Amino acid sequence: MAQFETVEVSTDLLICGGGMAACGAAVEAAYWAKKQGLKVTMVDKATPDRSGAVAMGLSAINTYMGVVEGENTPEGFVKYVRGDLMGITREDLVYDIGRHVDGTVNLFEKWGLPFWRDHETGKRVRGGKWQIMINGESYKVIVAEAAKNALAEMGDKGEVIDRVFILEPLLDGDRIAGAVGFSVRENKIYVFKAKAVMAAMGGAVGVFRPRSVGEGLGRSWYPPFSSGSSAYFTIKAGAEMTCQEVRFIPVRFKDGYGPVGAWFLFFKAKAKNALGEDYMVTNAAELEKWGPYGKVKPVPANLRNWLGMLDVNAGKGPIYMHTPEAMAAFGDAIPDEKARKKRMKELEAEAWEDYLDMTVSQALLWAGENIRPEDRPSEIAGAEPYFIGSHSGASGAWCSGPEDLAPKEYFWGYNRMTTVKGLFAAGDACGASSHKFSSGSHTEGRIAAKAAVAFIVDNPSEPKIDKAQLDAIIERINRPMKLFEENHAKSSDPNINPAFMKPRQYMHRIQKIMDEYAGGYSCAYTTSAKLMEKGLEKLAMLKEDSEKLAAENLHELMRCFENIHRTAQAEVHIRTMLFREETRWPGYYFRSDIPTIKDPEWRVFVNIAMDPKTGEYSLKKIPVIELVK
Ligand code: SFD
Ligand code: AMP
């Protein structure tokens, strides 16, 4: 068996991930670290040019205030996010994004990202109140280039390491000391020693059974390579986690997973049931049941889902996005025949570009199913659950807020530092501040990096590495390939063996458990205490069996540990849903044993932490403090 070489990297700030938040962190850290003579290292399991959620590009920037233009304010943003999350959000964190995000968006344009501009006014074209339209196929390439340039300008104090999968945190008592990872291309284990570490490894996909199975397996809305590493890393370090029950169920164009935002907001399309009824109108009375949040405008994303689901459950599905109607309405408003035809052609191009910029598979599916959006409506459906702190979910680490805004309960020294000293989180990794999206995640990376550099300046001592902990991790990395090597000859098919389990088999098992016991799409996102207790029992057995994961090559080795990362996310999710004795986000999940919202009793955050020494979980309620009236 090939031996792993151990490579040691000493740095000051270690940025784990190469996505939107990590690229923001790199740009900002380079600026502050240069002044202090500090080193910054960014490590991505892929390569930042095309890694993470923006790999395929995007067609809109979903968070742009337009403060200078007088369009929105950070206060308005806080009210919007609070409403959308049914009252549960960290207003200090959300406000902090709101007041800084426009500066980040301006940088994107300076770096070369093409924005849609109104021909007459020259203004950026709004997709919706908070969204602006971009020609964003190369969005990530542009953002990554700026990050790499910033680090390159630091000379030997700045480095980007590609294709290294970050596996485990290293701790020195209650302080972070670095991380261990392995190359997915070479037999190398990387030991990173750092004074501060940023977790920016995205969200979690593939925890639940996806709708796309069989030949469609791997197709998902959020990237399949976001496998819960941020959650695992922060949980394993002992950080307090928040909102782990708040999964996101995106309604998407069915099977291609094309996002719906541009259709609802820019094209002003309506979604209707198979009888042609607008469920947002016919089911509006249901909103009364969900307290003050049913009256919020726009209707919270989970309640929009819920109203649609009621029709599907009543046998009125499928639900269709009425693209032809919406496109025709644009044309009808133009009396001149020539101008109307020209506008219709533009609209057709915009409809296709929306997906060619962001979700190519949707454009392929339209082509494959002979769908012209101007002629035929498309089916939409709720997808499998995702864990994504930057979008309309909220799961992530519990982080300190900004000094000038955060109440004392939410402040412990450094902005976006987790409850572990020196460990920071941004983007999907940072919880309770939803609706950051791509621009807000980059902004949060910048905020966190600035604070991380300040932490390093205040805490310049080298953390100590615990040799026993490191040796155990290295042994763990070696095990799956060793297991394969020693046992594969016991059967003729390398995937079926009495001595081991391949990562794909493990993945199917965790997805089945989560789907059936924790409210996956095939159970209409419905669960109950008894189901969740059973699910936890099965997860415990799965965790035992994870010792039998085997890998034939480095790629499968990564798959093994991706699954182990997903399992940590799965466990905190079930435990937190079980703890919260209400149904607060119908349309995301529904507790059939406690089917109502309980305000104000449960208008609280639920935080969960694992003790790294014992592996025991503890949960607690934390008050929601309203800052914006
Ligand atoms: O339409 C490891 N998002 C949208 N944001 C917008 O602003 N506009 C949109 O139009 C958006 N839409 C959308 C979006 C995403 C996707 C997939 C689609 C459509 C189809 C959301 C944003 O993309 C999202 O909010 C941010 O990208 C989040 O940023 P961040 O940094 O938290 O996550 P990332 O960009 O996915 O990066 C993660 C990085 O971590 C790496 N990584 N590296 C080392 N070791 C490990 N173990 C690692 N695990 C992961 C990844 O490689 C990556 O570099 S719409 O639907 O609303
Ligand atoms: P999506 O494509 O669903 O991810 O949505 C993109 C953006 O539009 C996000 O900011 C959503 O919250 C928002 N959005 C999507 N659909 C609607 C809707 N029907 N009403 C208001 N906002 C929406």
Side-chain angles (χ1 to χ4, degrees):
M1 197 187 94
Q3 288 302 306
F4 280 95
E5 175 195 340
T6 303
V7 181
E8 211 180 282
V9 177
S10 282
T11 190
D12 293 298
L13 174 61
L14 175 68
I15 302 170
C16 300
M20 289 307 288
C23 286
V27 167
E28 194 75 18
Y31 178 83
W32 297 103
K34 229 171 355 194
K35 292 179 192 282
Q36 304 289 341
L38 299 173
K39 184 176 167 188
V40 180
T41 304
M42 176 162 85
V43 184
D44 192 350
K45 88 193 243 195
T47 186
D49 288 357
R50 288 279 177 192
S51 69
V54 188
M56 257 195 270
L58 292 177
S59 55
I61 288 177
N62 281 348
T63 310
Y64 178 67
M65 303 291 110
V67 172
V68 171
E69 297 88 331
E71 293 172 327
N72 287 301
T73 60
E75 287 81 4
F77 183 55
V78 168
K79 287 184 192 166
Y80 164 55
V81 177
R82 176 166 72 207
D84 200 59
L85 270 296
M86 306 292 277
I88 312 275
T89 197
R90 278 278 300 277
E91 299 190 6
D92 56 327
L93 300 180
V94 175
Y95 190 98
D96 206 19
I97 299 293
R99 67 178 165 176
H100 291 303
V101 72
D102 286 5
T104 294
V105 172
N106 293 339
L107 280 178
F108 293 161
E109 194 163 32
K110 188 174 130 201
W111 293 334
L113 179 64
F115 285 57
W116 290 20
R117 292 251 176 210
D118 185 278
H119 298 311
E120 278 157 28
T121 63
K123 281 173 71 175
R124 288 172 178 159
V125 175
R126 281 252 169 226
K129 184 167 169 57
W130 307 101
Q131 301 81 359
I132 49 175
M133 304 302 289
I134 53 170
N135 297 105
E137 188 278 335
S138 299
Y139 189 2
K140 189 64 200 306
V141 183
I142 292 164
V143 167
E145 186 183 38
K148 289 192 296 186
N149 284 346
L151 294 178
E153 277 170 20
M154 297 176 78
D156 61 2
K157 295 276 189 191
E159 81 189 305
V160 183
I161 301 179
D162 284 350
R163 301 201 163 82
V164 168
F165 181 85
I166 297 285
L167 175 61
E168 291 279 345
L170 287 171
L171 292 166
D172 176 5
D174 60 355
R175 182 181 169 181
I176 196 82
V180 185
F182 60 88
S183 167
V184 297
R185 294 275 168 100
E186 303 167 301
N187 288 320
K188 286 184 180 169
I189 289 176
Y190 279 79
V191 179
F192 297 100
K193 298 180 174 176
K195 292 178 190 156
V197 176
M198 171 140 10
M201 292 172 279
V205 176
V207 176
F208 279 80
R209 178 159 50 201
R211 293 187 83 114
S212 300
V213 292
E215 64 172 14
L217 189 69
R219 183 83 280 274
S220 53
W221 162 66
Y222 217 56
F225 21 85
S226 291
S227 55
S229 295
S230 295
Y232 177 87
F233 193 88
T234 42
I235 292 168
K236 274 300 283 286
E240 210 167 297
M241 307 296 289
T242 194
C243 298
Q244 291 302 320
E245 70 280 41
V246 195
R247 67 210 12 225
F248 176 43
I249 308 295
V251 162
R252 291 293 175 255
F253 279 61
K254 189 167 174 296
D255 301 330
Y257 287 90
V260 295
W263 280 100
F264 277 132
L265 303 179
F266 178 73
F267 290 101
K268 305 199 169 23
K270 292 254 180 292
K272 296 180 185 171
N273 68 24
L275 310 178
E277 296 160 346
D278 181 346
Y279 55 80
M280 294 300 292
V281 176
T282 51
N283 292 337
E286 172 69 19
L287 295 174
E288 307 282 320
K289 295 184 192 157
W290 303 97
Y293 315 107
K295 297 185 178 63
V296 163
K297 292 279 177 267
V299 174
N302 65 292
L303 288 177
R304 297 200 297 269
N305 288 1
W306 181 237
L307 297 195
M309 281 175 64
L310 289 173
D311 272 11
V312 174
N313 296 346
K316 296 180 184 174
I319 304 285
Y320 291 97
M321 181 73 86
H322 283 262
T323 54
E325 235 175 65
M327 292 168 85
F330 276 87
D332 291 349
I334 304 172
D336 177 64
E337 174 70 6
K338 209 168 143 205
R340 191 175 63 78
K341 278 197 172 146
K342 183 166 173 275
R343 183 68 190 122
M344 288 311 286
K345 280 281 158 227
E346 278 170 9
L347 279 171
E348 284 166 29
E350 284 162 5
W352 284 93
E353 188 187 334
D354 185 32
Y355 293 134
L356 290 171
D357 273 356
M358 172 168 64
T359 308
V360 182
S361 55
Q362 184 60 52
L364 293 174
L365 193 71
W366 268 350
E369 293 194 336
N370 299 328
I371 291 180
R372 291 174 195 274
E374 67 276 24
D375 289 341
R376 278 175 64 196
S378 292
E379 229 182 295
I380 58 171
E384 56 282 352
Y386 295 88
F387 298 92
I388 155 168
S390 69
H391 202 284
S392 311
S395 56
W398 179 245
C399 290
S400 175
E403 189 168 7
D404 61 334
L405 290 177
K408 64 178 185 331
E409 294 85 343
Y410 301 164
F411 180 73
W412 48 95
Y414 298 90
N415 204 350
R416 266 53 172 203
M417 189 168 84
T418 67
T419 55
V420 175
K421 282 189 198 130
L423 175 58
F424 291 75
D428 284 328
C430 171
S433 70
S434 319
H435 290 267
K436 289 175 276 205
F437 297 99
S438 60
S439 46
S441 296
H442 193 276
T443 305
E444 195 166 56
R446 293 177 61 199
I447 293 170
K450 184 178 174 187
V453 172
F455 175 90
I456 296 167
V457 172
D458 295 346
N459 299 274
S461 63
E462 291 273 349
K464 284 189 277 306
I465 303 291
D466 177 343
K467 178 138 185 346
Q469 190 202 2
L470 181 58
D471 288 348
I473 297 170
I474 291 175
E475 189 276 325
R476 185 68 189 93
I477 295 174
N478 273 286
R479 219 181 305 154
M481 286 171 88
K482 195 160 169 265
L483 199 61
F484 181 82
E485 199 61 33
E486 287 170 0
N487 293 288
H488 72 92
K490 287 182 181 159
S491 72
S492 53
D493 182 341
N495 294 311
I496 299 170
N497 194 291
F500 60 66
M501 167 169 46
K502 279 298 200 65
R504 182 180 276 252
Q505 292 161 327
Y506 184 102
M507 184 188 76
H508 287 309
R509 206 166 130 193
I510 186 175
Q511 290 179 347
K512 181 172 159 61
I513 295 171
M514 294 305 286
D515 185 45
E516 294 175 357
Y517 296 93
Y521 88 88
S522 76
C523 301
Y525 316 114
T526 303
T527 185
S528 66
K530 293 286 172 231
L531 278 169
M532 287 189 273
E533 281 159 10
K534 196 76 198 163
L536 281 176
E537 206 180 301
K538 286 178 185 269
L539 270 190
M541 286 183 207
L542 181 68
K543 273 166 50 179
E544 271 176 33
D545 290 350
S546 68
E547 299 296 321
K548 298 279 183 229
L549 274 165
E552 211 167 326
N553 50 43
L554 288 171
H555 185 70
E556 278 196 354
L557 188 66
M558 176 181 72
R559 291 277 180 257
C560 290
F561 291 112
E562 284 180 342
N563 280 322
I564 288 178
H565 286 188
R566 287 187 178 104
T567 308
Q569 177 65 80
E571 185 166 359
V572 292
H573 180 51
I574 299 192
R575 287 185 186 280
T576 315
M577 283 197 297
L578 192 55
F579 187 82
R580 181 179 280 284
E581 291 174 350
E582 64 165 353
T583 294
R584 179 162 289 259
W585 298 274
Y588 286 175
Y589 76 88
F590 194 83
R591 275 195 64 165
S592 51
D593 51 347
I594 322 176
T596 55
I597 190 165
K598 292 189 184 159
D599 240 20
E601 186 192 345
W602 280 98
R603 193 179 165 202
V604 290
F605 298 105
V606 173
N607 284 10
I608 182 165
M610 193 201 73
D611 182 335
K613 291 196 188 77
T614 62
E616 293 292 316
Y617 284 94
S618 57
L619 288 117
K620 64 179 174 196
K621 287 179 171 183
I622 306 243
V624 170
I625 301 172
E626 223 173 84
L627 300 174
V628 173
K629 297 297 166 209

